[in-house]
Amino acid sequence: MSVNQLLSIVIGFLILSCSQPNRESKSYQLKFKGSESMHGAFSALKKDFEKRQDTVKVFIEGGGSKTGLMAIKEGSADVGLSSYEFDLDSVLGSNHGVNQKIVAYDGIVLISHTDNPVLKLNNQQVAGIFSGRYTDWRQVGGYAGRIVPIVRDSNSGTQAFFTEYFKIEKVNPVAVVADENKVIVTRVQENQNAIGYIGFGYFTDSANSLEIAQKDEVDSQFVSATFKNLGSGMYPLKRSLRMYYRDHENPALQAFMTYLQSQDAQLIIQGQGLMPQSINDNLASR
């Protein structure tokens, strides 16, 4: 059975079961809000999903992972997209009624200008750069020049994951703050002394991808951010990308969840530079 046929059956059944007698079924809206790192993939999924049916209209907003979770708490969105695993009980309180589903995995990539000779950094150097302990590229083996760190805002799951992994208690107060992955790429392209970090799916050859230490040890092996290293677990900055949603019957959401399990949807996710849940599970079982 094709994806289109399955969606037609699921949507038809759900809407029929939720419709009141003697009333026409209305179209449904489904609002996603949150992670910028997931925005590209879900925009592509939205486009394909809406081509396959005309009952559910999807809306997507960014704003960062924490913004998505707060939207679920306030009821202003149906799904919160997050690149960071929140402790739901501590953020939302007990009996919050929020479910979560991992849809894909990606990695965080450190990027610098293509003219920057520094191509690898250990954990101490990364932490020193983004905390402000290192301020000149000579301190980490580069040419003289003031380091310009570019970071995400406080609502970003990428920011939370990155600072937690490298044990950065306080980000350099002079760091440039960007609200999107694409903005960080542009800033790095424009400034030879800039360094930033982005989601795996947003990396392009217009910047250097820095190798990082596999472990928090001085003599640790350095690894690059590749799909192969991400899948094998060699690359340490691997994270889960997830959906947060309320635990109640929502015909539009259930239809989208059905679509999300299809091979077509999985291929779209992979085409956006992310690792679908199904591929990750296959690699983990080997």
Side-chain angles (χ1 to χ4, degrees):
M1 183 179 295
S2 70
V3 178
N4 291 347
Q5 291 173 321
L6 185 58
L7 277 177
S8 296
I9 293 173
V10 171
I11 291 174
F13 175 78
L14 290 172
I15 292 178
L16 180 63
S17 64
C18 294
S19 297
Q20 296 179 12
N22 301 321
R23 291 185 61 181
E24 288 188 19
S25 298
K26 297 182 179 180
S27 60
Y28 283 72
Q29 294 185 351
L30 188 60
K31 184 175 180 180
F32 293 78
K33 186 175 180 64
S35 172
E36 293 290 343
S37 296
M38 300 171 69
H39 193 274
F42 271 78
S43 293
L45 290 168
K46 157 191 160 65
K47 185 176 181 180
D48 185 61
F49 177 70
E50 289 182 341
K51 280 182 179 179
R52 298 174 182 275
Q53 49 77 45
D54 58 5
T55 303
V56 181
K57 184 72 174 176
V58 178
F59 298 89
I60 302 177
E61 291 183 10
S65 298
K66 188 174 182 180
T67 301
L69 184 58
M70 291 302 100
I72 297 301
K73 179 180 181 179
E74 298 162 1
S76 59
D78 300 294
V79 178
L81 301 177
S82 180
S83 61
Y84 181 78
E85 183 180 4
F86 290 99
D87 183 337
L88 296 181
D89 288 343
S90 65
V91 177
L92 303 177
S94 58
N95 301 319
H96 47 72
V98 173
N99 285 346
Q100 58 182 304
K101 175 180 176 59
I102 296 175
V103 296
Y105 293 83
D106 83 337
I108 295 177
V109 185
L110 268 170
I111 61 172
S112 64
H113 195 276
T114 52
D115 291 337
N116 192 324
V118 177
L119 299 178
K120 58 179 64 175
L121 292 169
N122 61 39
N123 288 12
Q124 293 178 349
Q125 291 171 323
V126 174
I129 286 173
F130 286 94
S131 66
R133 198 164 62 248
Y134 296 146
T135 58
D136 194 286
W137 281 106
R138 288 176 298 182
Q139 294 173 281
V140 291
Y143 299 139
R146 183 177 65 86
I147 298 174
V148 180
I150 305 175
V151 301
R152 292 290 307 280
D153 59 79
S154 59
N155 287 322
S156 165
T158 301
Q159 169 83 347
F161 184 96
F162 185 86
T163 54
E164 185 176 290
Y165 180 84
F166 287 108
K167 303 178 177 65
I168 302 171
E169 295 183 3
K170 186 176 181 180
V171 175
N172 188 343
V174 302
V176 177
V177 178
D179 58 1
E180 293 184 24
N181 288 275
K182 292 183 289 187
V183 175
I184 294 180
V185 174
T186 300
R187 293 288 180 86
V188 168
Q189 290 172 335
E190 296 172 343
N191 190 332
Q192 185 174 340
N193 292 322
I195 181 172
Y197 48 88
I198 57 175
F200 189 83
Y202 288 84
F203 175 72
T204 71
D205 292 336
S206 60
N208 283 336
S209 171
L210 301 182
E211 294 184 11
I212 63 171
Q214 189 178 18
K215 298 179 181 179
D216 188 12
E217 300 168 359
V218 176
D219 59 348
S220 177
Q221 177 183 354
F222 287 88
V223 292
S224 56
T226 65
F227 198 80
K228 179 180 179 181
N229 288 340
L230 189 66
S232 67
M234 287 280 290
Y235 190 71
L237 295 183
K238 179 180 179 180
R239 59 182 178 168
S240 56
L241 306 177
R242 61 192 64 221
M243 297 167 52
Y244 289 117
Y245 55 96
R246 288 287 180 187
D247 186 16
H248 60 72
E249 291 186 3
N250 182 332
L253 179 56
Q254 292 183 43
F256 188 86
M257 289 287 206
T258 299
Y259 161 72
L260 202 58
Q261 300 304 311
S262 70
Q263 184 178 10
D264 291 341
Q266 298 288 293
L267 288 173
I268 288 174
I269 291 172
Q270 188 173 352
Q272 292 292 316
L274 307 179
M275 179 179 293
Q277 175 73 54
S278 57
I279 293 181
N280 183 80
D281 290 345
N282 289 337
L283 290 171
S285 63
R286 291 178 182 176

